[in-house]
Amino acid sequence: MMQNVHLAPETDEDDLYSGYNDYNPTYDTEELENDTAFQQAVRTNHGRRPPITAKIPSTAVTRPVATGYGSKTSLTSSMGRPVTGAIQDGVTRPMTAVRAAGFTKAALRGSAFDPLGQSRGPAPPLEVKNEDSPEEKIRQLEKKVNELVEESCIANTCGDLKLALEKAKDAGRKERVLVRQREQVTTPENINLDLTYSVLFNLASQYSANEMYAEALNTYQVIVKNKMFINAGRLKVNMGNIYLKQRNYSKAIKFYRMALDQIPSVHKEMRIKIMQNIGVTFIKTGQYSDAINSFEHIMSMAPNLKAGFNLILSYFAVGDREKMKKAFQKLIAVPLEIDEDDKYISPSDDPHTNLVIEAIKNDHLRQMERERCVEVVKASQYVELANDLEINKAITYLRQKDFNQAIETLKMFEKKDSRVKSAAATNLSFLYYLENDFAQASSYADLAVNSDRYNPSALTNKGNTVFANGDYEKAAEFYKEALRNDSSCTEALYNIGLTYKKLNRLDEALDCFLKLHAILRNSAQVLYQIANVYELMEDPNQAIEWLMQLISVVPTDSRALSKLGELYDSEGDKSQAFQYYYESYRYFPSNIEVIEWLGAYYIDTQFCEKAIQYFERAALIHLLWLRDPAATEAPAWPSHRQRPQEAQKCQSPNGTHRETDPSSHTGEETRKQWHL
């Protein structure tokens, strides 16, 4: 038992770590380069494949190795089944493991490698649509019916009612053929009900437009009686309108009421219109009490001018004066949805509209308003209101650009009390300033200031007249006094900024415009002035930044765009300069300075053909300017901007203010502001 026991030598008794450095020299990899046997094994075939071992004696017998290239000897695995890719019983088993890479059985027979199947050629052409098929015939016929309905509506709009009716009838005939064809091919549920409805409705409308009322009523009856048409009951309103034209009032009321029952309560506007038709029909039949009920309901639910007027007529017919007064009060309480100051001003140059407005201005009620209203107020205890009415009258003349009448009206206040006199003189000063009559403007500005020294509008206008004479220091004093009286007077703050620019006190000018920008955030004029001051202070980066804000407010201002181009050009950024110069040219293609810059740019970039086009345009503009300088002159941008801001104002005794006409173009220094 002790033969396998080995005692440690006494010399190693104290060495606890002995033996750890002993290792088998087989694992010494540092000497592999010098190992001749190892190097020989690496270089030979013997070292590239593992040696053949045989655990079972029978499998160690030498046998031919089968491959996937047509070998006739079957290769079996140690488990007794064929190896993948081998040939078994004369049939090659597919190499499924490499099928995705394009290796197929056909490759063994000499076929080309074509994983995408490109050798099969292009795809076959699409199948030609068979135009003789029933479905295609139905689609073409449906398209034709839609076209006929559209042509009918267009003819009606153009006033050719006979052609509109013929097209509507033709659409009806083709639609009936379409329905029969659909019934033969498909089930009745697939019939296009919307098309049928539109054809019938258009046909009924064209019958009614051609005053063929019987045919129109029959067509409407076809639609109304068909339960498949949703909301067809609303067309009873149209039937009621036809009966009303035929003076069959009882049937008109009947159909209006039937339509009213068909319309849900959420459609209030439509219900109100139908009730209004019912009330008008009752008036025509002389049933005023029923008409009063209808119109009273309308005025309580949704008051409007027509219902209020008809209610007054109904009360007049029954002789109820007290209710007439109440109805008139309700009528005048209905909002006109028109600005009170603009209701007698034509919104367009349409001659017919102008004639209507003139007729309204000269009707009996308007004449009574002009003749009696002001006089009655003057004779009452509210005499101060008469002055306000006269001031408003002058403002209306100014809005209508009738300056002579405005001046004549305002001159009536020269002998009034100081407050009214100051308001009138302020406006007169402004009007004369616009006409460049600075002597008269200064005279009336003095009158306004002397009448009311605390009127900031008068002080601003006085400063403007002094500014026009070139006395900038004195003008600044008037603007400062206006600001002391009213710190919110934006005109005085703006004009004092212009004055400081003239005096080359750029820091103070910038301070004024920045304060104004805090009040008027999106004022294009203020943004331009800030940019211009920075430019004068030789700070182009800040100037560009404020001009970018300016074009965000007025993106189509050609002068602001050209100014941006000029600043970028001075900074050496030709690409950005070209962008803004080109935008300026696009919005205003007659500025010679911009055209010249663009032509020079194309010459520098060697696009001479483009440059020729611009220079030809510049030559043409110059020729036109020689013929008529006033018509085509385009002055440099900053040259006309040093004019002070005229305070177009009216100061009323009650001291209320309202801005009504701010100038929107950055090229004007004037902000027209009225104080009413």
Side-chain angles (χ1 to χ4, degrees), residues 2 134 140 156 161 224 246 332 404 445 518 528 577 621 661 669:
M2 297 296 292
Q140 293 297 328
N156 182 281
L161 302 180
V224 170
Q246 293 179 333
I332 61 177
N404 294 329
Y528 163 72
I621 294 172
D661 186 18
E669 298 295 346

Side-chain angles (χ1 to χ4, degrees), residues 91 127 340 543:
V91 179
E127 184 179 353
E340 186 70 22

Side-chain angles (χ1 to χ4, degrees), residues 405-551:
Q405 288 285 350
I407 291 172
E408 188 176 327
T409 303
L410 291 170
K411 284 186 175 180
M412 296 169 53
F413 292 94
E414 291 186 22
K415 297 181 180 179
K416 300 290 183 180
D417 61 88
S418 60
R419 190 166 45 182
V420 178
K421 187 191 300 184
S422 178
T426 300
N427 284 275
L428 286 169
S429 173
F430 171 75
L431 290 173
Y432 283 119
Y433 190 95
L434 288 181
E435 295 178 353
N436 292 326
D437 189 348
F438 299 123
Q440 288 278 23
S442 179
S443 175
Y444 279 103
D446 288 333
L447 179 60
V449 172
N450 294 332
S451 300
D452 185 2
R453 189 71 188 187
Y454 298 99
N455 185 351
S457 306
L459 292 166
T460 301
N461 281 358
K462 179 58 181 176
N464 292 346
T465 59
V466 176
F467 187 102
N469 293 325
D471 193 349
Y472 304 121
E473 292 286 356
K474 190 174 181 180
E477 293 299 324
F478 281 109
Y479 296 141
K480 289 178 182 178
E481 187 175 355
L483 286 171
R484 285 194 294 270
N485 293 333
D486 183 4
S487 59
S488 64
C489 184
T490 56
E491 296 86 356
L493 184 58
Y494 184 91
N495 290 348
I496 198 172
L498 294 179
T499 307
Y500 287 145
K501 276 177 61 179
K502 280 290 187 179
L503 295 172
N504 202 28
R505 294 156 63 176
L506 299 180
D507 291 331
E508 295 175 85
L510 181 62
D511 185 54
C512 291
F513 291 127
L514 288 174
K515 287 179 180 178
L516 197 57
H517 176 64
I519 302 172
L520 308 173
R521 300 296 299 180
N522 294 320
S523 173
Q525 294 169 300
V526 176
L527 291 171
Y528 163 72
Q529 293 297 340
I530 296 174
N532 183 242
V533 172
Y534 274 121
E535 183 186 3
L536 295 175
M537 296 171 70
E538 299 181 355
D539 190 348
N541 293 328
Q542 285 290 339
I544 289 173
E545 181 179 341
W546 286 96
L547 282 174
M548 293 294 289
Q549 294 187 44
L550 172 61
I551 63 172

Side-chain angles (χ1 to χ4, degrees), residues 138-394:
I138 288 174
R139 279 195 292 269
Q140 293 297 328
L141 188 56
E142 185 173 325
K143 181 179 178 182
K144 182 62 178 176
V145 172
N146 277 314
E147 290 176 354
L148 287 170
V149 172
E150 291 178 2
E151 291 172 2
S152 174
C153 296
I154 293 172
N156 182 281
T157 305
C158 297
D160 193 347
L161 302 180
K162 187 175 292 185
L163 177 62
L165 181 58
E166 291 176 1
K167 295 284 186 182
K169 288 181 178 179
D170 194 11
R173 287 191 292 267
K174 285 184 167 52
E175 195 274 334
R176 287 192 292 272
V177 174
L178 175 63
V179 170
R180 286 196 295 269
Q181 290 186 4
R182 279 193 177 276
E183 289 176 347
Q184 294 174 2
V185 175
T186 60
T187 58
E189 289 79 8
N190 294 328
I191 296 175
N192 191 344
L193 290 176
D194 293 336
L195 182 61
T196 305
Y197 181 88
S198 62
V199 168
L200 291 174
F201 178 68
N202 180 61
L203 181 60
S205 299
Q206 303 307 333
Y207 275 135
S208 179
N210 285 272
E211 297 183 358
M212 300 172 67
Y213 298 130
E215 291 82 354
L217 288 171
N218 291 334
T219 308
Y220 279 127
Q221 284 287 359
V222 172
I223 302 174
V224 170
K225 289 183 178 180
N226 193 333
K227 302 298 183 183
M228 299 180 69
F229 294 137
I230 302 174
N231 298 326
R234 300 182 182 185
L235 296 182
K236 291 179 180 178
V237 176
N238 296 26
M239 299 175 72
N241 291 339
I242 292 175
Y243 283 123
L244 185 63
K245 292 178 181 177
Q246 293 179 333
R247 298 186 179 181
N248 191 345
Y249 301 126
S250 59
K251 279 201 170 184
I253 293 172
K254 175 184 175 182
F255 276 90
Y256 284 143
R257 285 178 168 171
M258 291 169 65
L260 194 63
D261 294 337
Q262 295 282 335
I263 296 174
S265 58
V266 293
H267 297 167
K268 295 180 180 179
E269 186 175 354
M270 185 177 291
R271 291 179 62 87
I272 290 296
K273 289 181 178 180
I274 294 174
M275 292 186 67
Q276 192 157 309
N277 286 2
I278 294 173
V280 171
T281 310
F282 276 131
I283 288 178
K284 289 183 176 293
T285 59
Q287 302 177 40
Y288 298 112
S289 58
D290 293 328
I292 288 171
N293 292 333
S294 297
F295 292 128
E296 281 182 344
H297 180 73
I298 294 172
M299 293 300 289
S300 63
M301 297 295 295
N304 62 78
L305 296 175
K306 290 183 179 180
F309 181 73
N310 288 330
L311 181 59
I312 293 173
L313 293 180
S314 301
Y315 282 135
F316 177 80
V318 298
D320 195 336
R321 293 180 175 273
E322 291 299 323
K323 289 188 176 181
M324 279 181 65
K325 293 179 181 179
K326 294 180 180 179
F328 187 76
Q329 290 176 351
K330 291 181 180 180
L331 176 63
I332 61 177
V334 175
L336 295 176
E337 298 181 356
I338 302 174
D339 190 356
E340 186 70 22
D341 298 327
D342 299 334
K343 62 181 179 181
Y344 294 125
I345 299 175
S346 175
S348 63
D349 295 330
D350 184 13
H352 178 71
T353 305
N354 293 335
L355 287 174
V356 172
I357 291 175
E358 287 297 326
I360 294 173
K361 288 167 63 176
N362 294 315
D363 66 357
H364 295 295
L365 188 61
R366 177 65 174 162
Q367 291 176 5
M368 183 180 69
E369 177 187 5
R370 281 200 301 261
E371 294 173 1
R372 297 182 57 187
C373 183
V374 177
E375 298 299 328
V376 170
V377 173
K378 286 180 179 179
S380 69
Q381 58 179 337
Y382 305 104
V383 64
E384 291 186 356
L385 295 178
N387 298 325
D388 289 346
L389 292 174
E390 292 291 343
I391 291 289
N392 288 335
K393 181 180 178 181

